[in-house]
């Protein structure tokens, strides 16, 4: 008498779907991240020697992972086709342990990881800060949620924008005023943690003039995503002009609205947090505004620096970037307009 097994009707269906799913899921995982990153800064479009070395390492890892993927998936497909529907009759041969196979799947990954380890060490050695005594060094201080940028040798303080001369290696000292952040400019350099009470040093170098977006890469509170910055690589003469302009103190405005805006600014809580060199505003909590009009963005690359956005920001900083240190001040719309007119004179 033959014994019959009764399975629920669903079960063969699930099995039928399981094999294609097992094959396509890894493929999807490969393809999905590749879509939707056409415009964002990518380590695959390096614009400087540091990122170029990281890009080289990435391609080596990708090539090795591709070989592993093809071999493993190939064996999986082979097994599915060969032993799936038209499986040979009878019970398969029973195997208990196989020294050769076990030695293989232990040693092959070990060799792959060892090769990657060597490539990684070589890349890390190249990315180390060169032991030269550079003429230019930048200090970057992470705050929740913006970047203070200081050029001690040049006596410049700015925020959220780092100008560097193109083709020059610029060491960057990283410190934090509060929690751990991470400094990352994908097109120029790898990530480095920004740690309170500890100085980390990285460097930036851009091969071509341009603007490269950076981003905090370590979760640091609710506005972590709005903690971006720009690295602007200038040709040498343009860089020299930028330095000269940043070194100058703010010039008091002459137009009536801007003058009124300056009076409102100096009489309000603004001065408690912001510095404008050459005025009584010497606050140290928020970004230095001495040359705020020369910057491309405000609120750490959250908004482009336009009069409309400045107005919206001063009206409702907590609505635009909830939790940031700038309070909603009780300013009338006309006072806000006047402050915006004043800030726009600060080139
Ligand atoms: Cu700072 Cu995330």
């Amino acid at each position: 008498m033959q014994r019959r097994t009764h399975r629920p009707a669903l079960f063969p269906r699930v099995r039928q779907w399981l094999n294609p799913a097992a094959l396509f899921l890894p493929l999807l995982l490969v393809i999905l991240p590749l879509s939707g990153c056409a415009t964002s800064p990518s380590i695959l479009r390096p614009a400087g020697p540091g990122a170029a070395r990281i890009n080289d390492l990435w391609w080596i890892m990708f090539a090795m992972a591709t070989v592993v993927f093809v071999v493993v998936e190939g064996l999986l497909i082979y097994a599915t086709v060969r032993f799936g529907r038209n499986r040979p009759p009878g019970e398969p041969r029973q195997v208990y342990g196989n020294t050769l196979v076990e030695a293989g799947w232990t040693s092959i990954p070990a060799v792959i990881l060892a090769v990657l380890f060597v490539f990684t060490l070589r890349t890390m050695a190249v990315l180390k800060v060169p032991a030269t005594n550079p003429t230019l060094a930048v200090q970057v201080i992470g705050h929740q949620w913006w970047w203070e940028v200081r050029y001690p040798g040049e006596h410049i303080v700015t925020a959220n924008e780092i100008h560097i001369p193109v083709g020059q290696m610029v060491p960057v000292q990283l410190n934090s005023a509060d929690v751990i952040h991470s400094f990352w400019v994908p097109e120029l350099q790898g990530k480095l943690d920004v740690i309170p009470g500890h100085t980390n040093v990285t460097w930036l170098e851009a091969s071509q003039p341009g603007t490269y977006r950076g981003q905090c890469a370590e979760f640091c509170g609710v506005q972590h995503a709005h903690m971006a910055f720009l690295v602007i690589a200038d040709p040498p003469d343009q860089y020299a002009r930028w330095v000269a302009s940043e070194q100058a103190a703010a010039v008091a405005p002459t137009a009536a609205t801007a003058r009124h805006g300056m009076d409102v600014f100096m009489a309000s809580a603004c001065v408690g947090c912001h510095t404008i060199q050459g005025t009584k505003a010497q606050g140290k909590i928020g970004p230095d505004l001495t040359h705020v009009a020369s910057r491309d963005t405000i609120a750490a690359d959250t908004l482009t620096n336009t009069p409309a956005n400045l107005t919206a920001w001063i009206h409702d900083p907590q609505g635009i970037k909830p939790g940031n240190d700038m309070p909603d001040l009780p300013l009338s719309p006309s006072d806000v307009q006047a402050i915006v007119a004043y800030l726009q004179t600060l080139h």
Side-chain angles (χ1 to χ4, degrees), residues 70-95:
V70 167
V71 169
V72 171
E73 291 300 305
L75 290 172
L76 187 61
I77 290 169
Y78 170 76
T80 307
V81 172
R82 175 72 179 78
F83 303 108
R85 286 210 187 110
N86 309 315
R87 76 178 65 192
E91 196 168 284
R93 189 164 61 88
Q94 300 300 302
V95 179

Side-chain angles (χ1 to χ4, degrees), residues 143-145 147 179-182 215-221 223-225 227:
H143 295 256
Q144 284 174 311
W145 295 277
W147 302 89
V179 300
I180 298 177
H181 305 273
S182 177
Q215 168 69 43
C216 180
E218 173 99 24
F219 182 74
C220 55
Q223 293 300 327
H224 154 72
M227 189 169 167

Side-chain angles (χ1 to χ4, degrees), residues 47-49 136 164-170 188 203-210 212 232-236 239:
L136 172 66
I164 56 171
V166 74
Q168 190 175 324
M169 196 277 299
V170 180
L188 298 181
W203 55 275
L204 294 172
E205 180 175 340
S207 304
Q208 304 103 36
Y212 307 100
I232 299 157
D234 296 318
Y239 176 76

Side-chain angles (χ1 to χ4, degrees), residues 230-287:
L230 300 176
V231 175
I232 299 157
D234 296 318
D237 51 333
Q238 207 170 312
Y239 176 76
R241 277 202 300 277
W242 177 82
V243 168
S245 137
E246 289 287 313
Q247 284 171 334
V251 179
T254 47
T257 315
R259 269 223 79 88
H260 174 59
M262 183 176 175
D263 293 341
V264 176
F265 189 98
M266 297 306 160
S268 73
C270 307
V271 294
C273 294
H274 295 286
T275 291
I276 298 178
Q277 290 301 343
T279 74
K280 72 168 212 176
Q282 295 293 324
K284 301 291 179 222
I285 293 168

Side-chain angles (χ1 to χ4, degrees), residues 62-231:
F62 183 72
M64 293 174 76
T66 304
V67 171
V68 171
F69 180 81
V70 167
V71 169
V72 171
E73 291 300 305
L75 290 172
L76 187 61
I77 290 169
Y78 170 76
T80 307
V81 172
R82 175 72 179 78
F83 303 108
R85 286 210 187 110
N86 309 315
R87 76 178 65 192
E91 196 168 284
R93 189 164 61 88
Q94 300 300 302
V95 179
Y96 302 97
N98 184 316
T99 314
L100 187 67
V101 169
E102 282 175 21
W105 70 44
T106 308
S107 59
I108 293 172
V111 169
I112 291 172
L113 290 177
V115 170
L116 276 180
F117 184 60
V118 170
F119 278 118
T120 305
L121 284 181
R122 277 178 41 179
T123 306
M124 285 170 72
V126 174
L127 293 180
K128 250 179 46 185
V129 183
T132 54
N133 196 12
T135 49
L136 172 66
V138 181
Q139 290 177 349
V140 172
I141 300 146
H143 295 256
Q144 284 174 311
W145 295 277
W146 60 282
W147 302 89
E148 181 180 344
V149 182
R150 307 181 82 96
Y151 295 67
E154 286 73 19
H155 306 288
I156 291 172
V157 182
T158 182
N160 304 320
E161 290 191 3
I162 305 169
H163 281 253
I164 56 171
V166 74
Q168 190 175 324
M169 196 277 299
V170 180
V172 181
Q173 295 177 0
L174 302 170
N175 282 287
S176 171
D178 35 53
V179 300
I180 298 177
H181 305 273
S182 177
F183 182 85
W184 188 32
V185 191
E187 291 156 299
L188 298 181
Q189 185 56 279
K191 295 172 189 173
L192 191 59
D193 273 3
V194 181
I195 300 167
H198 174 84
T199 303
N200 269 342
V201 186
T202 181
W203 55 275
L204 294 172
E205 180 175 340
S207 304
Q208 304 103 36
T211 299
Y212 307 100
R213 190 174 185 275
Q215 168 69 43
C216 180
E218 173 99 24
F219 182 74
C220 55
V222 286
Q223 293 300 327
H224 154 72
H226 288 145
M227 189 169 167
F229 59 101
L230 300 176
V231 175

